[in-house]
Amino acid sequence: MYSIFTSMKVFSDPWVGHPGLNRLGMHRKRLKAAQAISRFRRAQTVHRYDRDEQHLLDQGFVAIENFLPADEFDALRAECHASVDAAKAITPLPAKPEVWGFGDSDRHDWGFDRFDGSTLNRFIRPGPLAAAFPRNRRFKRLARIVTGKTMAARRNWIYQTVNGDDTEIPDQQREFHRDTFFNCMKYWFFIDPVREEDGPFVYVPGSHKLTPERIAWEEKKAEAAVEARLQQNRRGMTGSFRIEREELAALGLPPPQSYPVPGNTLVVANVFGFHRRGDAVPGTDRLSLYGNHRPQPFIPLGS
Ligand SMILES: [Fe+2]
């Protein structure tokens, strides 16, 4: 029972996936309560918004170019490249995996590798300049705008994404989805430029809003996930609901947008909104600082 008051999202959980509770509208109630609480937390922590902050609030997404002063950025970029080279010297980039879906983490002293389908995710421990990034004052405000909470610095990584060949092993992150049932944030502070062929982030503007149409869609997906649990279909029990392109239009949402950006750009997204990893040419890569900020949804105190 306790799990329904946490961030637990998978329908394999006996309470989250409980048929009777879901018939009583539990999923809708969790969505609404989590929205109200994150709004309450935000109101405790941020009172006035600048243009970028307002954009994040309205669209669920913002890309801020020239985020750091040039000299600060140059020093950070040099440090990140040194970290990437040091990791590669110890552990060369692994060959493609054999399995479909999320692979296991392969841990090392410098961090870990994990495959999503054919895409290699290399997470490297940040050096001193990179580790200080989450303490940036503007960044902290953006985290609060999405969740009402600041992000723990330990969730900040140097993130190298190496694109594989999707025709061989599909990457689930390239399907449109939302991460979970409440407002949560991911960010990428891009060290190197991201071109269209590098697989830029793709987001559906405004899709973070809990509209009546969205609630109806969520309930339909929750019903299907409960059914999947009864059928013992593991894949169908996921709490990261997938959405088809035709369904986006039916929800009254605009077309998805892809965001290639120069280096020194901070991309912040509310990943309750629909998004995916962009299509990429195999062998290309992206380099960023990255964090996944998903504070517990039912704690009313902002920070
Ligand atoms: Fe995601």
Side-chain angles (χ1 to χ4, degrees), residues 19-282:
L21 288 174
N22 277 283
R23 262 197 305 278
L24 292 171
M26 181 180 67
H27 186 64
R28 183 181 62 237
K29 286 175 185 149
R30 289 182 94 208
L31 288 166
K32 285 187 156 184
Q35 278 284 327
I37 287 170
S38 68
R39 214 177 306 130
F40 178 58
R41 290 197 305 223
R42 185 192 310 134
Q44 295 166 45
T45 53
V46 189
H47 305 286
R48 236 185 262 143
Y49 305 100
D50 68 20
R51 202 170 50 93
D52 289 328
E53 293 169 348
Q54 192 64 48
H55 189 276
L56 175 60
L57 200 60
D58 295 341
Q59 303 296 318
F61 172 93
V62 71
I64 307 175
E65 294 186 11
N66 296 312
F67 185 75
L68 291 181
D71 53 340
E72 254 180 67
F73 176 66
D74 288 346
L76 174 60
R77 183 175 53 191
E79 184 191 88
C80 287
H81 278 287
S83 302
V84 167
D85 292 345
K88 198 173 174 183
I90 299 167
T91 316
L93 295 174
K96 66 180 184 193
E98 298 305 319
V99 292
W100 196 94
F102 293 107
D104 293 329
S105 297
D106 185 13
R107 296 187 180 279
H108 301 274
D109 287 343
W110 50 262
F112 65 97
D113 282 332
R114 197 195 66 221
F115 277 98
D116 296 333
S118 62
T119 307
L120 170 67
N121 304 283
R122 172 162 281 198
F123 293 95
I124 302 167
R125 269 181 241 295
L129 297 176
F133 185 81
R135 293 202 291 274
N136 178 287
R137 199 187 57 82
R138 275 173 82 199
F139 172 75
K140 278 167 117 170
R141 285 179 58 88
L142 296 166
R144 285 175 172 137
I145 286 167
V146 179
T147 68
K149 292 242 177 213
T150 48
M151 193 190 82
R154 67 186 155 77
R155 305 195 69 88
N156 172 51
W157 290 90
I158 297 170
Y159 178 24
Q160 187 181 17
T161 318
V162 185
N163 297 302
D165 188 349
D166 269 11
T167 54
E168 279 183 64
I169 309 170
D171 171 358
Q172 293 175 60
Q173 300 288 353
R174 297 201 201 276
E175 297 168 13
F176 278 106
H177 64 281
R178 54 59 156 178
D179 280 11
T180 187
F181 65 93
F182 55 90
N183 290 324
C184 54
M185 181 194 93
K186 278 185 177 155
Y187 78 90
W188 297 258
F189 176 61
F190 286 106
I191 302 298
D192 292 334
V194 181
R195 304 163 302 168
E196 201 57 68
E197 57 265 44
D198 300 326
F201 186 62
V202 181
Y203 194 80
V204 181
S207 61
H208 63 309
K209 291 183 182 150
L210 190 61
T211 60
E213 294 80 11
R214 174 67 180 270
I215 293 174
W217 179 86
E218 288 276 342
E219 289 205 291
K220 210 173 64 189
K221 296 300 273 190
E223 233 171 76
V226 169
E227 190 53 36
R229 181 162 174 264
L230 296 173
Q231 308 287 333
Q232 309 264 310
N233 162 14
R234 281 219 81 78
R235 232 204 132 203
M237 292 182 230
T238 174
S240 314
F241 294 160
R242 264 52 196 163
I243 187 163
E244 300 298 329
R245 280 168 193 263
E246 311 77 64
E247 291 179 280
L248 289 170
L251 289 179
L253 292 167
Q257 282 186 29
S258 151
Y259 296 90
V261 293
N264 197 9
T265 300
L266 175 65
V267 168
V268 173
N270 181 343
V271 283
F272 178 63
F274 297 113
H275 61 281
R276 72 181 189 99
R277 188 178 283 154
D279 298 324
V281 173

